Amino acid sequence: MPLPAKLLTVSVAAGLLAVTACASQAQQARPSKAPGPADVVATIGTTSVTLEAVDARALQEPVSSFGSAKLVQAIYVARRAAIEEIVGNTLMDQEARARGIDRPTLVEREIAAKAPAPTDAEVKAWYDANPARVNGATLDQVRAPIRQLLIEERMNTARSALVEALKLKTPVTISLEPPRVAVKAEG
């Protein structure tokens, strides 16, 4: 996964951790069995996704992708990100088959075409807005990496929009439970 995509993953992971932490504290802990490898953790239409398939993808992520998350939270975040990737890829494969094309052609038509290359003004605006992230480098030194970051952000946004639109056509259920922490009701 390229560096900007990892940054996006870490940002999404941080958001999921915050939601998980709030849900954990706000809800009373309820007993639940840990899912086993054969347990279904998501469905895409009539296609089931098992924990084993999710873990095959999730456990490829480096530990550094999850910041200071506790192991149980990091595993959940990795699994959840893997589920989202599997769901998206499955939906795109189904849509490509329905159109009689392959996934790369679908990606070109529905994602790349909707993610225009950033202009020089947009690259400069990003550079001016993020001085701490360029560590004193000149615009000429970081122009190409900034342009690539902006392209990847736009591609991710277009992919997310496509996947969300496809989810409206095919029911998707994610049943992977977030980790919960028992909290005493004191004070």
Side-chain angles (χ1 to χ4, degrees):
M1 186 180 296
L3 181 59
K6 282 187 181 177
L7 291 174
L8 178 62
T9 300
V10 171
S11 297
V12 169
L16 284 172
L17 285 175
V19 168
T20 301
C22 290
S24 295
Q25 292 174 0
Q27 296 178 359
Q28 203 173 29
R30 66 176 188 248
S32 64
K33 77 171 189 75
D39 288 343
V40 173
V41 293
T43 56
I44 308 134
T46 59
T47 304
S48 296
V49 179
T50 64
L51 184 60
E52 181 177 27
V54 169
D55 282 351
R57 185 163 309 200
L59 297 176
Q60 298 304 311
E61 282 294 312
V63 174
S64 61
S65 295
F66 306 106
S68 63
K70 296 206 182 288
L71 181 58
V72 70
Q73 292 169 321
I75 290 171
Y76 171 75
V77 170
R79 286 175 172 168
R80 184 61 194 236
I83 288 172
E84 293 295 338
E85 185 178 347
I86 291 168
V87 166
N89 289 344
T90 301
L91 289 170
M92 288 191 299
D93 287 342
Q94 290 173 354
E95 181 67 14
R97 274 194 303 277
R99 293 184 187 190
I101 57 177
D102 59 7
R103 188 184 340 155
T105 303
L106 179 72
V107 167
E108 181 61 35
R109 289 181 187 172
E110 297 296 330
I111 297 174
K114 295 178 181 176
T119 64
D120 286 336
E122 290 169 323
V123 171
K124 182 167 180 3
W126 188 97
Y127 176 83
D128 292 340
N130 295 282
R133 291 184 66 186
V134 296
N135 295 325
T138 66
L139 177 58
D140 287 335
Q141 291 172 318
V142 294
R143 185 181 313 274
I146 292 171
R147 184 175 307 280
Q148 186 60 38
L149 171 70
L150 293 174
I151 289 169
E152 287 182 21
E153 285 177 350
R154 290 173 181 191
M155 293 285 284
N156 287 336
T157 299
R159 182 184 190 280
S160 293
L162 173 61
V163 169
E164 289 305 313
L166 294 174
K167 283 180 180 179
L168 296 174
K169 293 169 48 174
T170 303
V172 174
T173 303
I174 298 175
S175 54
L176 181 68
E177 289 286 328
R180 305 216 188 277
V181 177
V183 179
K184 292 183 180 184
E186 296 177 356

